[in-house]
Amino acid sequence: MSSGQESIFSEYETDTSQTSKLLRKFKETPFVPIGFAMVVGYGLYRLKHRGDMKMSLHLIHMRVAAQGFVVGAITCGVLYSMFRDYVMKPKE
């Protein structure tokens, strides 16, 4: 292994606990876990109140809802990034 590759991997190998890795990822991309929690919550709510709907149809609806939440999370992330870079940008 070259020295350049060792320095890249050593940064990730220092955080060996799963909790520290999860917290680091949450700090890097906070909208992904929030979106995931919203999809799971919505799915559980709809599963409880689906009535006589077939399970296959319910799963199709959940897939479409999950795709919508992903698009929404990406949009919120882009808007947040633009707000942080252009509106809250420190004056030079």
Side-chain angles (χ1 to χ4, degrees):
M1 233 185 237
S2 68
S3 63
Q5 289 178 343
E6 290 174 2
S7 65
I8 292 171
F9 293 129
S10 65
E11 177 184 338
Y12 290 103
E13 291 173 354
T14 56
D15 294 334
T16 55
S17 73
Q18 293 294 330
T19 307
S20 63
K21 288 180 184 179
L22 183 64
L23 289 175
R24 182 176 46 88
K25 283 293 187 181
F26 185 73
K27 288 178 183 177
E28 290 175 1
T29 56
F31 290 107
V32 173
I34 293 169
F36 182 72
M38 290 175 69
V39 167
V40 169
Y42 178 75
L44 291 174
Y45 174 77
R46 293 296 300 167
L47 185 63
K48 183 177 178 182
H49 299 296
R50 68 184 169 113
D52 60 350
M53 183 187 305
K54 290 184 178 180
M55 182 60 86
S56 62
L57 186 60
H58 172 72
L59 292 175
I60 290 170
H61 288 178
M62 287 308 306
R63 186 198 66 178
V64 171
Q67 289 172 340
F69 278 119
V70 167
V71 169
I74 291 171
T75 303
C76 289
V78 168
L79 290 174
Y80 174 74
S81 176
M82 289 174 60
F83 177 76
R84 187 184 60 206
D85 291 344
Y86 296 112
V87 175
M88 300 299 292
K89 185 177 179 180
K91 294 181 181 179
E92 296 176 1

